[in-house]
Amino acid sequence: MSAPVTVSVTRHVDPSRTSEMLAWVQAGTSLAEKFDGFLGSGWVRPSEESPDWHMLYRFADADALAAWEASPQRAWWLEAAQGSVEEKLRERRTGIEGWFDEPATVEALSVAPPAPPRWKQMVVIFLVFLPLSLTANLVASRTISDWPLVPRVVLVTTVMTPLMTYVFLPWITRRMSWWLHR
């Protein structure tokens, strides 16, 4: 099971070409929306005069993102802005930091739901962490109780972290979305 992937791209744009840039961004979103696994996109600028545009787009998993990034539609879209846009920074984020990201957009192309309050995030994580931790420690106490403390804790943590990130947090987040986003 692959986690959603958020890509953050910082692009440098001539401020005098704002109208062209808006059309270009909207065209890219329209193209990406047709791909399976597209979850949304948006952009933000520090100010109206800023040459830096921070763009975000999100896909359901790495395979869906790879399909978009390898597509002729995306190649055409990027080529359309060649000479007008300079990419300065690209980051991909997956895993736990992507679960409750707050949208950082001033002008959104696709409306993203607001992040749930921190206390709700904490409750959902607790609902997963407590039973998983109890189970892991029970199993460890019956199987590797004679191990020294540090290796035992390292093993339990090594098993629990991917289970939390890739299995149980996605599961509980889907089940609790009615409450998280109320």
Side-chain angles (χ1 to χ4, degrees):
M1 175 181 222
S2 180
V5 182
T6 302
V7 178
S8 170
V9 182
T10 301
R11 292 188 165 103
H12 186 81
V13 179
D14 180 350
S16 68
R17 302 185 88 170
T18 298
S19 296
E20 292 170 48
M21 186 63 182
L22 287 170
W24 182 73
V25 169
Q26 290 170 344
T29 300
S30 293
L31 291 170
E33 284 174 342
K34 293 174 179 57
F35 281 76
D36 288 339
F38 179 74
L39 298 177
S41 67
W43 54 271
V44 64
R45 293 167 49 199
S47 70
E48 285 187 30
E49 300 80 33
S50 176
D52 292 330
W53 293 54
H54 304 284
M55 299 177 179
L56 297 169
Y57 54 93
R58 188 168 174 91
F59 279 83
D61 55 40
D63 291 339
L65 174 62
W68 161 247
E69 290 184 334
S71 72
Q73 294 92 327
R74 181 175 176 268
W76 172 85
W77 176 67
L78 290 173
E79 188 177 313
Q82 211 159 21
S84 303
V85 176
E86 173 194 349
E87 186 172 306
K88 293 171 62 178
L89 177 66
R90 174 179 297 269
E91 296 178 310
R92 289 180 186 214
R93 298 187 340 170
T94 59
I96 191 125
E97 83 278 359
W99 284 110
F100 299 111
D101 288 344
E102 290 191 40
T105 59
V106 172
E107 302 172 70
L109 297 175
S110 301
V111 179
R118 290 274 181 207
W119 70 270
K120 285 187 176 185
Q121 296 173 36
M122 178 202 61
V123 169
V124 168
I125 291 169
F126 179 82
L127 289 173
V128 170
F129 183 77
L130 180 63
L132 185 60
S133 179
L134 289 171
T135 302
N137 283 296
L138 177 66
V139 170
S141 72
R142 294 184 179 184
T143 58
I144 57 173
S145 62
D146 56 333
W147 285 24
L149 177 66
V150 172
R152 189 173 64 233
V153 170
V154 167
L155 178 64
V156 168
T157 304
T158 301
V159 170
M160 280 184 49
T161 301
L163 285 173
M164 284 278 297
T165 303
Y166 297 109
V167 178
F168 294 111
L169 279 177
W171 178 81
I172 195 79
T173 301
R174 283 190 302 271
R175 298 303 176 289
M176 298 295 292
S177 65
W178 62 271
W179 179 71
L180 283 167
H181 297 287
R182 184 184 308 168

